[in-house]
Amino acid sequence: MRPVVIGLPLPLPLVGFRICCGFPSPADDWIEDAIDVSRLVVTNPAATFLWRASGDCMTPTVLDGDYLVCDRSLAPVSGDVVVAVVDGEPTVKRLTYVAGRPSLSHDNPRALPFAPDPLSEISIWGVVAWSLRAHRPSR
């Protein structure tokens, strides 16, 4: 699995109001501006990479096939979803601190607990700042 560097800008229309996800409310069809999605999700282009998620251990936070925008310039804090490297293999996990020590876990309650060997080499590669999910996958 190799990260992909973010490409060329593509401005999209930004509607000038927030859309209700509960009961609909009347609103004007009004375009406020154009926004380049990459500028929204990328704060440090030199340190930002895309990864494609595989598997279900992070469900419901990250789904199989989601694109993960990973920023290596962000300092990881407890609660972040991170790309970790465990014995040379990249993986996506939830970072927490237990008694001041970093701990990695799955978000999927049905997944077996993440329990690397105590001698495993673990490093945090970057913080997952955004995930992008297709709600109507290509056919």
Side-chain angles (χ1 to χ4, degrees):
M1 180 168 25
R2 296 175 57 91
V4 178
V5 178
I6 305 280
L8 298 174
L10 177 64
L12 299 173
L14 174 65
V15 178
F17 61 88
R18 292 177 182 240
I19 190 165
C20 179
C21 292
F23 291 103
S25 67
D28 296 330
D29 287 330
W30 182 64
I31 303 300
E32 178 181 293
D33 199 356
I35 188 167
D36 178 354
V37 175
S38 67
R39 295 189 85 172
L40 176 67
V41 301
V42 176
T43 55
N44 185 343
T48 303
F49 298 84
L50 280 179
W51 291 82
R52 188 88 189 259
S54 176
D56 66 354
C57 73
M58 288 301 290
T59 299
T61 308
V62 174
L63 301 182
D64 184 55
D66 285 358
Y67 286 94
L68 306 177
V69 180
C70 183
D71 188 333
R72 297 196 71 195
S73 69
L74 297 175
V77 297
S78 191
D80 279 344
V81 174
V82 297
V83 172
V85 179
V86 180
D87 293 330
E89 293 293 323
T91 185
V92 177
K93 299 287 179 266
R94 175 79 56 190
L95 174 68
T96 55
Y97 289 91
V98 178
R101 294 179 49 103
S103 176
L104 300 172
S105 63
H106 302 306
D107 278 5
N108 188 340
R110 296 189 316 205
L112 294 174
F114 179 70
D117 184 290
L119 300 176
S120 289
E121 183 179 321
I122 299 173
S123 63
I124 305 303
W125 191 85
V127 174
V128 176
W130 291 79
S131 61
L132 308 173
R133 176 175 305 146
H135 291 274
R136 186 175 187 198
S138 302
R139 295 183 178 164

